[in-house]
Amino acid sequence: MDLKSNEPFWLIKNGIIESYPSLKSNEECDVLIIGGGITGSLITQQMIKDGYKTILIDKREVCNGSTSATTSMLQYEIDVPLYELIEKIGEKGAVESYKACSDAIDTLEMLSKLIRSDAGFKRKKSLYFASKKKDVKWLKEEYKARKKAGFNVKWLEAEQIVDQFGFENTYGGILSKQGASIDAFKFAHELFTHNVKKGLKIFDKTEMKKVEYHKGFNLVTVDSGHQIKTKKIIYCIGYESKNLIKEDFVDLKSTFAVVSEIDDDKFKNISSTLVWNTDEPYIYMRTTDDGRLLIGGGDEDFNDAQKRDALLDKKEKEILKNLKKIKPDYQFYKDFVWAGTFGETKDGLPYIGEHKKFKNSYFVLGFGGNGITFSVTGMEMTSQFMKNKKHLLSEYFKFGR
Ligand SMILES: Cc1cc2nc3c(=O)[nH]c(=O)nc-3n(C[C@H](O)[C@H](O)[C@H](O)COP(=O)(O)OP(=O)(O)OC[C@H]3O[C@@H](n4cnc5c(N)ncnc54)[C@H](O)[C@@H]3O)c2cc1C
């Protein structure tokens, strides 16, 4: 699957941070993690911490999947609004899912400090504004649901949004205290480097081709023909899980992002805030560590890479036109524009847990706009699963729900 177009910003900005060997002999471990993106890096961190002999493989260079294309906004807010999620899955599951994403931001901050990360983790507020008058009614309902659930939120009227952020043509919105941004590509690399020092083995350009299930262990054959004997597999293969799991569990779509030239001064009003709106598809933006404005949006309901990449010019114009509506005075000078695949589930929630067709295995598949925070929740969940314990969110994140 072609997960991204040619010029994702993070890959160009960081280049090849670290390269690992491919698998050239047979190996044995407690846990084999398949997939070396941000999800694999976080799960690795947990498994090494829990004391398991851990191997990670990736068929690409590590972090060259969706993790190189992400906009890396860290939000407690899920694509499905809380009041709507409550209607879909009940109050307990909905509130706990939101809380898990909120806790994930704190965990990422703690991890950034622990590994002395240089990936620019920065705490930010989050502004979710109504782009149409008719959206105000449900957005206020959303505000009440979040307040009731204990989240630190404020309602801002349109004039207050103009005063604080200089955004015009909004109809009010929710300002949340909890949020952050990071360079997920760099952070995942840093986590790998940290854990290799603690015994993790990584083999990239190594593709899982076949799994044989035995009592108490799995035998995984990779493209070179070598085998890894492992007690458990944790699949962190992102959107390519759609090739492995035959049932219809996620819709794959295309999304687009544009990043500006460096201009700290121009973007200082929103350098401490993540911004998104109620449009469908919504646009979202954040600043980067090096003083650029990064905007995403323009989602399309298909996943054909050629068709997707042919739209790059058109989508750039569409995204910048939407920016002009709220920031008519911004002169936006583009540096990079790119496209990527992303997955949407019917309830905005991830799939984390077992699948009956894959024995001795777990999946950690963060989908939707919260892929990264869901993967953090996957750390705690897989840690519990490995100890044969249930997790509070298993019921809400399971296959076949
Ligand atoms: C433009 C864009 C913007 C986004 N914005 C945000 C955002 O603001 N916030 C957010 O939280 N999320 C966002 N997302 C989603 C987020 O990027 C993803 O959730 C996240 O990157 C997924 O990471 P991953 O490690 O699960 O997948 P990947 O990074 O794709 O890693 C999976 C890895 O598995 C490997 N693999 C697959 N099959 C095999 C196999 N058979 N053998 C060996 N290896 C295999 C692949 O090579 C790949 O490297 C965005 C996504 C896009 C595209």
Side-chain angles (χ1 to χ4, degrees), residues 14-55:
N14 292 295
I16 299 173
I17 297 178
E18 191 75 64
S19 198
Y20 296 95
S22 56
L23 185 67
K24 300 182 186 73
S25 58
N26 294 337
E27 291 279 345
E28 211 173 314
C29 59
D30 298 324
V31 183
L32 173 66
I33 295 170
I34 304 180
I38 184 69
T39 309
S41 72
L42 291 160
I43 302 303
T44 293
Q45 164 71 23
Q46 186 66 47
M47 292 302 120
I48 293 285
K49 179 169 173 258
D50 290 352
Y52 301 108
K53 189 176 172 194
T54 307
I55 294 178

Side-chain angles (χ1 to χ4, degrees), residues 3-20:
L3 292 169
K4 60 189 190 302
S5 61
N6 287 338
E7 283 195 334
F9 171 61
W10 308 108
L11 192 52
I12 293 160
K13 179 171 187 272
N14 292 295
I16 299 173
I17 297 178
E18 191 75 64
S19 198
Y20 296 95

Side-chain angles (χ1 to χ4, degrees), residues 4 6 19 27 34 41 87-88 173 214 243-244 247 258 321-322 340 358 364 372 378:
K4 60 189 190 302
N6 287 338
S19 198
E27 291 279 345
I34 304 180
S41 72
E87 282 163 19
K88 278 181 197 279
H214 297 269
N243 297 335
L244 198 66
E247 74 226 32
V258 193
K321 199 171 148 200
N322 283 328
F358 300 80
V364 182
I372 300 170

